[in-house]
Amino acid sequence: AGLFIGVFQILLSILRLGFLINLISQPVLSGFISAAALIIIFSQLGELVGVELPKQEYAYESMIYIFTHFEDINIITLGLGIGAFILLILFRVWKKSFPAALLLIVITTIVCYYFKLDTKGVSVVANVPEGLPKFALPEFEISRLKDLIPTILSVTFIGYVGSIGIAKGVEMKHKNQTVRPNQELFALGISKIIGAFFLAVPSSGSYSRTAINEEAGAKTSVSSIITALLVGLALLFLTSLFYYIPTVVLSV
């Protein structure tokens, strides 16, 4: 699916159809981003309180489930989450560019390891496969293409709207930056096509990484290249250190 999504987005870019995003008003784009933020929040509630949530049809049902299963909440997990949240807010007030999230992960990982919190109901990342993803040709069956078309179309457009919404938000904040919709489409398409040959999940612009980059003062795409290199080094040499990272801190 990722391969066809990428091809479709590149085709839209070649046909210069990126202008269609201009037909979507800014309030709609802002609403889309705000709704995505709410969905992300609801999706993390289970990890924040240490309750395993069943698959829900609607996001708000996660909160209802937690309130009706209050006795299942892990107090240690909840305490870690509240503490991490308060510290993040304090660091943000003090200095936005300070890598507070990284510091919190290091501290809570050490605490989790020292006190063996994973034996007390605190969920941890556990084993992370080491090494870089290997090249593999995507499996393709013409008989499945018909079933994939709805997914291809929805991910193509929703992913693009989300990515361009983030870009437009940054553009409004920094008047010296210009978003080129067709170039965004092409970049998204290329990333999905390359990712398809490494069994990657079809990806689009990231809300969280964009916010972190922007707050850290990143000016060019070099910051993303450095991030990718660091991720690669981490996968090669540091995965054993990730075992005791509490998932609640990642959720925060």
Side-chain angles (χ1 to χ4, degrees):
L3 178 63
F4 285 105
I5 293 168
V7 171
F8 193 44
Q9 286 185 329
I10 288 180
L11 181 61
L12 292 176
S13 174
I14 293 173
L15 295 175
R16 314 295 292 176
L17 294 179
F19 76 92
L20 292 174
I21 198 68
N22 296 325
L23 301 178
I24 303 177
S25 65
Q26 187 58 44
V28 172
L29 287 174
S30 298
F32 185 92
I33 295 174
S34 298
L38 289 174
I39 291 173
I40 291 171
I41 290 172
F42 284 122
S43 70
Q44 298 302 313
L45 288 177
E47 295 290 354
L48 287 170
V49 296
V51 175
E52 186 174 348
L53 296 176
K55 186 175 178 60
Q56 307 285 359
E57 184 176 358
Y58 300 104
Y60 68 86
E61 291 178 338
S62 299
M63 183 174 289
I64 295 175
Y65 183 90
I66 290 173
F67 278 115
T68 55
H69 294 76
F70 203 76
E71 67 280 0
D72 295 335
I73 291 178
N74 185 287
I75 300 301
I76 300 177
T77 299
L78 181 61
L80 274 175
I82 293 174
F85 184 79
I86 292 173
L87 286 174
L88 273 181
I89 296 297
L90 291 176
F91 278 120
R92 182 182 177 86
V93 171
W94 172 57
K95 189 176 182 181
K96 286 186 177 181
S97 60
F98 185 80
L102 180 61
L103 179 62
L104 278 176
I105 287 175
V106 172
I107 292 174
T108 54
T109 300
I110 293 173
V111 169
C112 192
Y113 171 77
Y114 184 79
F115 293 101
K116 304 297 180 185
L117 297 184
D118 57 314
T119 63
K120 301 176 182 179
V122 176
S123 175
V124 295
V125 171
N127 291 313
V128 177
E130 65 179 12
L132 299 176
K134 294 179 173 58
F135 179 86
L137 291 174
E139 295 183 5
F140 173 67
E141 297 177 12
I142 296 179
S143 58
R144 293 191 59 197
L145 183 58
K146 183 179 179 181
D147 297 330
L148 288 174
I149 286 177
T151 301
I152 292 170
L153 292 177
S154 59
V155 174
T156 294
F157 291 110
I158 293 176
Y160 177 57
V161 170
S163 296
I164 203 71
I166 302 167
K168 286 286 187 182
V170 176
E171 181 187 45
M172 291 177 64
K173 189 173 181 180
H174 302 281
K175 303 301 182 182
N176 61 330
Q177 298 183 14
T178 303
V179 175
R180 298 176 177 83
N182 288 308
Q183 186 173 326
E184 292 287 330
L185 265 174
F186 188 82
L188 290 171
I190 287 292
S191 67
K192 289 179 179 62
I193 289 175
I194 295 175
F197 290 96
F198 294 90
L199 304 181
V201 175
S203 58
S204 294
S206 169
Y207 296 89
S208 56
R209 287 194 298 274
T210 300
I212 292 171
N213 251 7
E214 198 272 331
E215 288 188 357
K219 301 298 183 183
T220 70
S221 56
V222 172
S223 63
S224 296
I225 295 174
I226 294 173
T227 300
L229 291 174
L230 290 175
V231 169
L233 289 173
L235 287 173
L236 288 172
F237 307 111
L238 304 176
T239 54
S240 60
L241 301 178
F242 299 158
Y243 188 95
Y244 286 99
I245 296 177
T247 55
V248 60
V249 178
L250 300 180
S251 296
V252 169

